[in-house]
């Protein structure tokens, strides 16, 4: 079957795009003003848009939040490469990151797995059990670390002598060919690389047709993408708002990360999809679906679409 848009959805789309980009920018400006009022000082806002409209939105966000509150432009690879012999393939979308007041109350640095070539270059050593490691420096700085002799070598060591003995006894010191000690830093204990402004890693990989995560919603985002954003800019029990929740990925990610959340959408299909997805979350906390009442909806419909006679 074909899902037809409700009157609410038709009206919203007409008001947003009825006069093209001009009406969209006006709607977006009014929306940003409202969201700016809701956002706490030090709070973060992420605005996700594709390449068609992002440059217009950036100007509006600078106007409403202030240029000094612009923090980052994140480039997210949102689809696989596709051939187009007339122009460049558009395979990314943009996430604009602003902080109200310019200084965040919270930012937890996200990490991404190391790329294969980085692992091969830096974690090139292996223990007998196959664990990969890189060698780290045990020598500190003169005047900062104490200088003493250990295993016949005099250096300003980073650790006290008894700690070096413990590390050596537990096999955590790597002896080079020149018989010099280095600290083993294991790959499976590493956090990874701090996330940069281009996201192409597996954690945020776009949803493919065979993905078990897909729910058949056209604009659905991967959970990994929203989990990274929410984990970076909030702590447990903080409040997350998605004013255009679509398939509900933001709310599912917030629930999984033990954040409080509010989601809004005009589309019935979006609300149904979001509710269904939330009910599948393990250890789900109670939530309420608030609906514009039937009476208010009828009054609004009469006011917006008066009948003749």
């Amino acid at each position: 079957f074909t899902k037809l848009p409700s009157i609410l959805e038709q009206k919203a789309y007409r008001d947003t795009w009825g006069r093209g980009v001009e009406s969209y920018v006006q709607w977006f400006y009014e929306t940003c003003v409202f969201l700016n009022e809701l956002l706490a000082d030090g709070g973060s806002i992420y605005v996700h848009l594709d390449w068609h409209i992002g440059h217009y939105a950036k100007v509006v966000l600078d106007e409403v939040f202030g240029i000094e509150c612009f923090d980052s432009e994140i480039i997210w690879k949102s689809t696989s490469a596709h051939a187009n012999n007339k122009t460049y393939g558009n395979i990314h979308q943009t996430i604009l990151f602003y902080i109200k007041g310019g200084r965040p109350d919270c930012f937890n640095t996200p990490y991404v797995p190391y790329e294969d070539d980085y692992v091969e270059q830096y974690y090139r050593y292996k223990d007998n059990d196959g664990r990969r490691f890189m060698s780290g420096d045990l020598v500190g700085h003169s005047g900062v670390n104490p200088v003493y002799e250990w295993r016949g070598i005099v250096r300003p060591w980073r650790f006290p002598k008894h700690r070096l003995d413990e590390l050596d006894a537990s096999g955590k010191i790597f002896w080079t060919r020149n018989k010099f000690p280095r600290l083993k830093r294991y790959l499976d204990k590493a956090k990874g690389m701090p996330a940069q402004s281009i996201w192409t890693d597996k954690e945020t990989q776009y949803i493919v047709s065979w993905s078990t995560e897909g729910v058949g919603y056209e604009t659905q985002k991967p959970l990994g993408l929203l989990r990274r954003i929410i984990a970076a800019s909030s702590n447990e029990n903080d409040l997350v708002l998605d004013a255009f929740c679509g398939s509900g990925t933001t709310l599912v990610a917030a629930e999984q990360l033990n954040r409080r959340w509010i989601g809004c959408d005009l589309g019935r299909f979006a609300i149904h999809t979001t509710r269904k997805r939330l009910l599948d979350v393990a250890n789900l906390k109670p939530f309420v679906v608030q609906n514009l009442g039937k009476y208010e909806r009828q009054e609004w419909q009469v006011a917006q679409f008066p009948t003749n006679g």
Side-chain angles (χ1 to χ4, degrees), residues 205-212 214:
Q205 185 178 23
Y206 48 88
I207 296 175
V208 293
S209 57
W210 58 87
S211 173
T212 57

Side-chain angles (χ1 to χ4, degrees), residues 97-256:
F97 173 33
Y98 284 75
I99 302 165
K100 186 172 180 179
R103 300 186 64 179
D105 279 347
C106 169
F107 187 77
N108 308 306
T109 302
Y111 292 86
V112 301
Y114 294 120
E115 295 181 356
D116 292 342
D117 57 349
Y118 182 91
V119 172
E120 291 297 327
Q121 181 177 356
Y122 291 99
Y123 287 89
R124 58 184 183 274
Y125 305 110
K126 291 184 180 180
D127 265 348
N128 294 331
D129 58 3
R131 290 181 71 190
R132 281 185 174 270
F133 67 89
M134 67 185 301
S135 67
D137 207 344
L138 286 168
V139 178
H141 302 279
S142 298
V144 177
N145 301 102
V147 178
Y148 60 87
E149 181 273 333
W150 184 73
R151 298 291 195 268
I153 305 171
V154 178
R155 291 289 191 279
W157 301 104
R158 293 179 181 272
F159 300 98
K161 185 177 293 187
H162 74 275
R163 179 58 180 155
L164 291 175
D165 289 335
E166 291 173 355
L167 291 170
D168 196 22
S170 61
K172 294 181 180 178
I173 288 183
F174 170 66
W175 292 89
T176 69
R177 293 178 181 178
N178 297 327
K179 304 299 181 182
F180 196 84
R182 302 273 293 175
L183 180 64
K184 294 180 180 179
R185 298 188 183 278
Y186 289 100
L187 177 61
D188 56 15
K189 294 293 185 180
K191 290 182 178 180
M193 186 75 70
Q196 306 298 301
S197 61
I198 299 178
W199 294 358
T200 61
D201 56 282
K202 293 181 179 178
E203 184 178 334
T204 60
Q205 185 178 23
Y206 48 88
I207 296 175
V208 293
S209 57
W210 58 87
S211 173
T212 57
E213 189 180 319
V215 295
Y217 199 93
E218 185 178 358
T219 58
Q220 181 184 353
K221 307 300 180 295
L223 264 173
L225 178 72
L226 273 302
R227 285 177 62 90
R228 177 174 298 171
I229 289 172
I230 292 170
S233 292
S234 68
N235 294 317
E236 288 195 359
N237 295 315
D238 282 349
L239 182 60
V240 176
L241 167 67
D242 189 342
F244 311 94
C245 64
S247 66
T249 303
T250 300
L251 309 189
V252 172
E255 180 69 25
Q256 291 176 342

Side-chain angles (χ1 to χ4, degrees), residues 21-87:
V21 172
E22 179 185 350
S23 56
Y24 175 85
V25 170
Q26 179 61 36
W27 168 85
F28 186 70
Y29 173 80
E30 294 169 358
T31 302
C32 288
V33 169
F34 180 65
L35 292 176
N36 186 40
E37 293 174 356
L38 289 178
L39 191 64
D41 289 338
S44 300
I45 181 168
Y46 291 79
V47 180
H48 163 258
L49 297 158
D50 70 9
W51 59 276
H52 292 92
I53 203 73
H55 45 295
Y56 295 103
K58 173 68 166 60
V59 176
V60 173
L61 289 162
D62 285 345
E63 171 69 20
V64 175
F65 287 91
I67 295 176
E68 70 281 0
C69 295
F70 173 62
D71 184 275
S72 301
E73 178 185 42
I74 300 167
I75 302 301
W76 171 54
K77 183 180 178 182
S78 58
T79 184
S80 60
H82 49 269
N84 189 331
N85 59 6
K86 294 184 179 180
T87 187

